[in-house]
Amino acid sequence: MNIRTLRTHTLRTRLRGTAALALLPLLALTACGSGDTGGTAAVGAEASPAPTDDPVATVRKVDSAAALLPADVRKAGKLRVGSSIGFPPGAYYPNGTDKAPAGQDIDLADAVAKVLGIGLERQDASFEAILPALGSGKYDFGTGNFGVTAERLKTIDFVTYINDGQGFAVKKGNTALKSKITDLTQLCGLTIGTGAGTTFEATLTAQKGVCAKAGKKPYDVKVYSENAATLTALQQGRIDVIMSTINGLRHQAAQPASQTTFLGEYHRLDVGFAFKKGSPLTKAFQAAVNELIRNGTYARILAKWGTSASAIETSRVNPPEQA
């Protein structure tokens, strides 16, 4: 092989590798908001196309709910929302970042805005940056599958819209973990990947002493700021398990190209729109969510994204963290 041929071959090899890695975010998890963020085989955009039905299209303004908004908001006619766009079914880019995002959180926020008769000025933001930015007034509210926890309730107000939570997934064929994780001692000696600023990271950090108490080797936690990086790490063997959102991990495992196995639910959490403490917007948002539940739009949105099992019966403001 001459020098020119060798260079051409090397370039093609690099390009193939780069292209494969570039496709990984399309199946990435971010999220739960339950926290949170929260994944990898190379796969094209066709692996997670956005459903074509549009239950939000028929939503109309409801004057009784709109009247609960502050007068200045009604006059301005819009709110700024900080959105964590990470993975289906919550929020993701099915057609590239230069196109509109899609997902359950996107549809629900848009539907609430229509009930309230206002527009949304959506700004992409990293999951861990949104809650602090609410206090500074950068955003009027935030979306990103934010789970309601006792710690967050100290500084954040929530209006609930779904019940999601924490779960685990492994690379398909993994033999270290074969069953649902019900106790964190099952993770002893393993490396867990999760999202920065999430309830997953908080849970794993708070419970890190359980392995020593059980006389076992501690687990290691690797935190990633991007969801694609977490899934890449799993597929490359740098972590053994991912801890992320129940709905996100379940959706991912349903995509054959992801090559992951969902290990079941670990802990359920209410998930809600997030506001700065004392926000005057919560009552209006609660009324709007409950109107969507009443008129059936809510059920249609969840059915569209395959999350009907996470439906709530009524929206609440600042419920206590689920035990």
Side-chain angles (χ1 to χ4, degrees):
M1 182 179 294
N2 60 36
I3 295 297
R4 178 176 294 179
T5 302
L6 177 60
R7 287 176 177 169
T8 301
H9 174 76
T10 302
L11 177 59
R12 288 174 177 169
T13 300
R14 288 176 178 171
L15 287 173
R16 283 196 297 269
T18 301
L21 289 174
L23 292 170
L24 296 181
L26 296 169
L27 280 182
L29 295 180
T30 172
C32 180
S34 304
D36 317 15
T37 40
T40 192
V43 61
E46 71 277 9
S48 295
T52 56
D53 51 318
D54 186 9
V56 181
T58 58
V59 177
R60 298 291 180 264
K61 180 181 178 181
V62 177
D63 290 338
S64 59
L68 297 174
L69 287 170
D72 60 333
V73 174
R74 295 199 304 272
K75 182 177 180 180
K78 66 179 181 179
L79 290 173
R80 296 159 300 165
V81 52
S83 293
S84 175
I85 310 296
F87 62 92
Y92 71 119
Y93 287 108
N95 302 305
T97 56
D98 59 333
K99 300 294 192 301
Q104 166 196 276
D105 289 357
I106 303 298
D107 280 354
L108 286 171
D110 288 348
V112 164
K114 292 186 73 172
V115 169
L116 298 178
I118 57 173
L120 295 182
E121 184 181 291
R122 182 171 282 111
Q123 300 176 29
D124 291 6
S126 63
F127 176 86
E128 64 270 25
I130 292 176
L131 297 186
L134 294 173
S136 71
K138 184 175 182 179
Y139 310 121
D140 296 305
F141 71 102
T143 62
N145 209 46
F146 290 105
V148 180
T149 68
E151 185 63 28
R152 286 177 176 165
L153 284 169
K154 295 176 182 178
T155 57
I156 299 294
D157 282 339
F158 289 95
V159 174
T160 61
Y161 61 82
I162 201 166
N163 182 256
D164 197 346
Q166 304 172 333
F168 294 92
V170 295
K171 185 177 180 180
K172 189 165 289 186
N174 179 296
T175 57
L177 292 166
K178 298 179 180 179
S179 61
K180 177 180 177 180
I181 296 173
T182 57
D183 190 311
L184 293 185
T185 56
Q186 293 171 256
L187 301 174
C188 296
L190 302 178
T191 301
I192 305 102
T194 195
T198 65
T199 60
F200 318 122
E201 180 186 10
T203 296
L204 292 169
T205 300
Q207 299 297 319
K208 204 161 187 179
V210 298
C211 294
K213 291 179 181 179
K216 298 182 179 182
K217 181 180 178 181
Y219 55 71
D220 185 30
V221 179
K222 292 189 180 298
V223 177
Y224 299 89
S225 59
E226 295 183 1
N227 306 303
T230 310
L231 185 53
T232 299
L234 180 71
Q235 299 294 14
Q236 294 180 349
R238 290 182 279 114
I239 60 176
D240 301 297
V241 59
I242 291 175
M243 186 179 189
S244 190
T245 68
I246 293 168
N247 287 334
L249 291 173
R250 183 180 284 121
H251 183 279
Q252 177 183 282
Q255 312 304 313
S258 74
Q259 291 295 299
T260 61
T261 298
F262 178 56
L263 290 186
E265 302 177 7
Y266 175 69
H267 178 51
R268 280 273 175 175
L269 285 173
D270 287 309
V271 171
F273 297 111
F275 306 81
K276 69 178 181 181
K277 204 67 183 174
S279 171
L281 299 173
T282 56
K283 291 298 183 182
F285 270 67
Q286 180 188 29
V289 174
N290 283 330
E291 170 61 22
L292 295 172
I293 292 173
R294 185 199 66 77
N295 68 28
T297 302
Y298 176 79
R300 291 194 295 273
I301 291 173
L302 267 57
K304 171 182 176 179
W305 295 104
T307 56
S308 297
S310 289
I312 59 174
E313 293 184 358
T314 187
S315 176
R316 295 189 291 169
V317 176
N318 296 337
E321 180 178 353
Q322 291 188 35

